[in-house]
Amino acid sequence: MEPVKIGILGLGTVGGGTLNVLTRNAEEIARRAGREIKVVQAAARDISRSRICSTEGVALTENAKEVVSNPEIDIVVELIGGDTLARDLVMNAIANGKHVVTANKALIAKFGNEIFSAAQKKGVMVAFEAAVAGGIPIIKAIREGLAGNEIEWLAGIINGTGNFILTEMRDKGRDFADVLAEAQRLGYAEADPTFDVEGIDAAHKLTILAAIAFGIPLQFEKVSTEGITNITREDVNYAEQLGYRIKHLGIAKRTADGIELRVHPTLIPEKRLIANVDGVMNAVLVKGDAVGPTLYYGAGAGAEPTASAVVADIVDVVRTLTSDPENRVPHLAFQPDALSTLPILSMDDVVTAYYLRMHAEDKPGVLAEITRIMGERGISIEALIQKEPINKDSGATVIMLTQPVLERNMNQAIAAIEKLDTIRGSVTRIRSEHLNSQ
Ligand code: HSE
């Protein structure tokens, strides 16, 4: 049988890794796919640059459009990232009847609805396993492995760069900027690293996970997103004293009123497995009604871990090339005409526990006032620490953990506490989740 012909767009970290894996494991991959897989053409911004892979036997071009219109090519692998040129190229590839494999989370999160609709009309596949959590086959696990479940919630460490920064801050007391620079050098960070530290990259990935978990359209603009730039060593240390770790989580939860879709730093009990996922590693905890909690762990970024997912998608596409398009696994796990219109909740309507830190004057009655404000809004305190002032002018630091509460009520309580004469500056607030099997 003729080999399946591949065109790659982008020969950077992931493109180079993909070419290396396809070459090194060619025989094993062909045994799995049932056909030889051959990369015939690749586009790169500068074809004279030195790379991590050999491009022997691959026609190189600086014009990506040549690849998407090359009649010889069956599958276009988009690894250039971004959502402008990549969007045009993917839409063109689909219009030209080519299957697409992409690692581009921004593209799928923002334009996936239109891309999948075009692909369905044309009878081609768009596979995107590498878009979420690098090498962890989380899309396949949720879409296929958990297809018998009603998914109740999922929570994931889905940005390796952010996790690396938080881990190094905690373990080695390193500076935020210094660790970020190292993540950039190692090729983990996004082209614009604010996407990593402000939670945008995680929000892209959460959008995709929520769509396939709950059968809802991709709704990136509705994810509530908070980054890790305000996390201090002080909070990391207090969290540890309370038996918690701070992780940057993407959380999607089904409630009676709709879907919670949020990315934010989160205190998690240190005994949870996911609290011990460190460095650039990713992990996604998924709770299904039948299976209970399941945890998926692995490298969330890097050349070959991401290539592992890209190549798995290529194999998947090759295996189903001859199948009837109507009988393929739907792009978003649920049949396109069966997507649900469940609303995405605003943060005001989210219920979660909180870690609070504030500076208070060291005099009688201060704590009583704070607890009165909390009590009036139905907020129950689970733990409380007061650190004595360092000198007579510095205030006392008060740290508390609350029981789960409606965010709207917590916002009102914080505003009232900040108005007290005895409170200095603003209240630091970090959400907290138990992530138990309930
Ligand atoms: N910048 C991303 C991360 C790369 O750090 O997780 C993988 O999507």
Side-chain angles (χ1 to χ4, degrees):
M1 208 187 285
E2 273 276 289
V4 175
K5 311 263 178 39
I6 308 285
I8 298 184
L9 307 176
L11 282 181
T13 306
V14 181
T18 299
L19 210 44
N20 280 338
V21 172
L22 282 171
T23 309
R24 188 173 72 238
N25 297 344
E27 214 178 299
E28 202 76 346
I29 291 167
R31 285 174 61 214
R32 289 195 165 102
R35 304 257 303 261
E36 191 192 333
I37 291 168
K38 192 169 162 41
V39 179
V40 293
Q41 192 176 28
R45 249 199 313 244
D46 174 5
I47 58 173
S48 63
R49 240 182 67 183
S50 69
R51 336 205 146 264
I52 58 169
C53 60
S54 157
T55 52
E56 205 187 317
V58 180
L60 296 182
T61 174
E62 289 179 1
N63 181 2
K65 288 192 178 133
E66 270 181 31
V67 178
V68 298
S69 57
N70 182 341
E72 208 195 353
I73 287 172
D74 306 295
I75 305 173
V76 169
V77 179
E78 185 278 305
L79 303 173
I80 55 176
D83 56 24
T84 45
L85 176 61
R87 180 184 177 193
D88 286 346
L89 292 168
V90 164
M91 291 304 276
N92 273 319
I94 292 169
N96 292 336
K98 303 194 186 304
H99 303 281
V100 173
V101 171
T102 178
N104 192 331
K105 50 263 165 138
L107 179 70
I108 297 298
K110 289 170 75 178
F111 302 110
N113 298 322
E114 90 182 41
I115 290 171
F116 297 144
S117 160
Q120 201 201 348
K121 285 195 190 102
K122 206 68 191 169
V124 296
M125 283 169 276
V126 177
F128 51 94
E129 181 64 72
V132 184
I136 308 174
I138 188 66
I139 302 291
K140 211 171 186 55
I142 298 176
R143 194 166 59 181
E144 292 159 60
L146 300 181
N149 288 260
E150 180 168 291
I151 307 290
E152 295 172 0
W153 54 263
L154 60 85
I157 296 171
I158 44 181
N159 180 270
T161 302
N163 201 39
F164 184 50
I165 293 172
L166 288 177
T167 305
E168 294 284 302
M169 276 173 76
R170 187 195 73 217
D171 290 353
K172 302 182 189 150
R174 288 177 66 190
D175 275 353
F176 193 103
D178 170 40
V179 190
L180 176 58
E182 188 180 344
Q184 287 177 287
R185 262 196 319 278
L186 295 170
Y188 298 145
E190 294 302 296
D192 176 354
T194 58
F195 275 41
D196 296 292
V197 296
E198 296 297 354
I200 301 160
D201 177 73
H204 287 145
K205 294 164 178 168
L206 185 72
T207 302
I208 300 172
L209 290 179
I212 60 166
F214 305 128
I216 55 173
L218 295 148
Q219 297 167 83
F220 168 67
E221 68 292 348
K222 296 199 181 143
V223 182
S224 155
T225 306
E226 194 178 301
I228 56 169
T229 44
N230 293 328
I231 297 295
T232 61
R233 268 203 60 73
E234 196 182 3
D235 292 317
V236 171
N237 289 340
Y238 286 137
E240 278 212 286
Q241 287 174 32
L242 290 159
Y244 288 77
R245 296 262 165 91
I246 300 178
K247 292 290 178 191
H248 198 203
L249 292 188
I251 299 173
K253 195 184 283 180
R254 189 197 294 263
T255 75
D257 302 318
I259 307 274
E260 294 179 6
L261 221 44
R262 48 194 170 103
V263 171
H264 51 71
T266 316
L267 267 76
I268 325 172
E270 67 188 0
K271 61 181 183 228
R272 295 271 174 272
L273 277 177
I274 195 167
N276 295 282
V277 171
D278 287 335
V280 77
M281 302 308 274
N282 280 194
V284 185
L285 185 53
V286 185
K287 169 83 186 333
D289 68 336
V291 71
T294 57
L295 181 65
Y296 309 85
Y297 168 85
E304 293 216 355
T306 313
S308 164
V310 170
V311 174
D313 269 351
I314 296 175
V315 171
D316 237 13
V317 171
V318 172
R319 281 174 177 154
T320 48
L321 277 177
T322 51
S323 74
D324 175 357
E326 297 301 313
N327 293 328
R328 292 179 185 143
V329 178
H331 291 110
L332 289 180
F334 293 70
Q335 298 300 334
D337 57 1
L339 294 187
S340 138
T341 54
L342 278 170
I344 308 299
L345 298 177
S346 96
M347 279 311 281
D348 265 356
D349 297 320
V350 160
V351 174
T352 180
Y354 289 84
Y355 159 99
L356 303 176
R357 174 172 58 79
M358 58 199 85
H359 289 287
E361 278 182 28
D362 189 27
K363 62 183 201 188
V366 176
L367 271 183
E369 283 207 276
I370 297 170
T371 50
R372 176 188 53 80
I373 289 172
M374 306 279 250
E376 280 170 4
R377 287 157 185 88
I379 302 170
S380 167
I381 297 166
E382 189 173 278
L384 192 142
I385 308 176
Q386 181 175 343
K387 296 279 175 189
E388 63 198 37
I390 301 164
N391 56 52
K392 69 177 174 41
D393 297 324
S394 69
T397 303
V398 177
I399 301 114
M400 50 177 88
L401 283 179
T402 75
Q403 299 276 359
V405 51
L406 196 62
E407 179 134 335
R408 181 182 292 113
N409 293 359
M410 181 51 88
N411 287 338
Q412 288 169 0
I414 289 175
I417 291 170
E418 285 176 344
K419 279 204 191 107
L420 293 174
D421 290 342
T422 46
I423 294 296
R424 300 177 180 175
S426 53
V427 175
T428 296
R429 163 260 297 274
I430 307 175
R431 299 177 186 90
S432 173
E433 294 282 343
H434 276 253
L435 302 180
N436 51 23
S437 53
Q438 299 316 304

